[in-house]
């Protein structure tokens, strides 16, 4: 099927290494941020979220860091696995609407 | 969590025709959202569909091109009208009961 990541920046990571995907946002008033994973042929899947009163939140193998000073968000994936191969989008809540960033394709090297 | 079903999952349509996409949620939700994802791109919000009122469209999207219905709290439709090849995209509906959940999308190809 058609890939949704053909024109998106790509991050290539060795299997077992940690991945760091970065995202910049524009609206300093945004107070809720979400990372999504989208596999080919599927809709976006929620990974982890963070509110603006936090600067770090951890999930299973994933960590989101929020730097409000420079309006920067990152997603860290520990011990990257082949199943992590997908397109990752950051998104922000603006007036109860989820607005997506550009996305990054994560490619896992064997 | 919410389970969202979209129909059709894909379609190939002739230019100049219209296609109506259905979105069914397994629980009642106040707001439903329609997105477009053009090939190789991120998701762009088309409109917000609230039950009992007209949809609210984002900049660059108009009701004549993308009419939306929201007859009840579990269902919405998006119509892509007078289609051209530029409308070839994946169209997704979403709900936000806390976290945003997405349907699998409708992959539309206009020829």
């Amino acid at each position: 099927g058609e890939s949704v990541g053909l024109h998106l920046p790509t991050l290539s990571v060795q299997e077992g290494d940690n991945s760091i995907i970065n995202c910049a946002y524009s609206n300093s008033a945004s107070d809720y941020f979400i990372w999504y994973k989208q596999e080919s042929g599927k809709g976006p899947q929620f990974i982890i979220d963070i509110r603006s009163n936090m600067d770090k939140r951890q999930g299973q193998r994933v960590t989101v860091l929020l730097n409000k000073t420079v309006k920067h968000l990152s997603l860290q994936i520990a011990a990257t696995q082949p199943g992590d191969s997908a397109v990752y989008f950051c998104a922000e809540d603006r007036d109860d609407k989820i607005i997506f960033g550009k996305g990054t394709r994560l490619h896992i090297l064997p | 969590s919410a389970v969202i079903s979209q129909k059709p999952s894909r379609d190939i349509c002739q230019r100049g025709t219209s296609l109506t996409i259905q979105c069914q949620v397994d629980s009642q939700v106040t707001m439903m959202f329609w997105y477009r994802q053009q090939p190789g791109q991120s998701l762009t919000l088309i409109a917000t569909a609230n039950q009992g009122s007209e949809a609210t469209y984002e900049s660059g999207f108009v009701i004549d091109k993308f009419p939306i219905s929201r007859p009840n709290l579990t269902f919405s439709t998006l119509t892509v009208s007078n289609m051209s090849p530029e409308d070839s995209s994946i169209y997704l509906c979403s709900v936000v009961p806390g976290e945003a959940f997405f349907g699998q999308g409708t992959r539309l190809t206009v020829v």
Side-chain angles (χ1 to χ4, degrees), chain A residues 27-41:
Chain A
N27 189 347
S28 57
S30 294
D31 61 2
Y32 179 56
F33 303 88
I34 310 162
W35 279 100
Y36 290 96
K37 174 186 181 182
Q38 187 176 30
E39 296 174 286
S40 184

Side-chain angles (χ1 to χ4, degrees), chain B:
Chain B
S1 64
V3 177
I4 302 172
S5 302
Q6 259 186 257
K7 284 195 250 187
S9 58
R10 59 175 62 223
D11 207 343
I12 301 173
C13 300
Q14 296 290 322
R15 66 179 68 199
T17 63
S18 297
L19 176 71
T20 295
I21 302 167
Q22 299 179 2
C23 180
Q24 179 77 51
V25 189
D26 67 344
S27 56
Q28 293 185 339
V29 293
T30 305
M31 293 191 289
M32 295 178 75
F33 303 87
W34 287 99
Y35 289 82
R36 180 177 73 184
Q37 187 173 28
Q38 294 175 302
Q41 304 287 325
S42 184
L43 284 76
T44 301
L45 182 62
I46 297 172
T48 304
N50 296 317
Q51 197 268 335
S53 63
E54 278 201 9
T56 305
Y57 289 83
E58 298 298 308
S59 176
F61 298 96
V62 295
I63 187 171
D64 290 346
K65 176 67 177 176
F66 297 102
I68 286 171
S69 79
R70 183 81 201 274
N72 57 53
L73 291 172
T74 63
F75 188 79
S76 178
T77 68
L78 170 76
T79 299
V80 186
S81 303
N82 188 23
M83 289 184 284
S84 66
E86 291 71 34
D87 293 319
S88 297
S89 291
I90 301 170
Y91 293 86
L92 301 109
C93 70
S94 168
V95 301
V96 191
E99 306 163 358
F101 292 91
F102 285 83
Q104 293 297 304
T106 296
R107 188 180 298 272
L108 171 62
T109 302
V110 184
V111 297

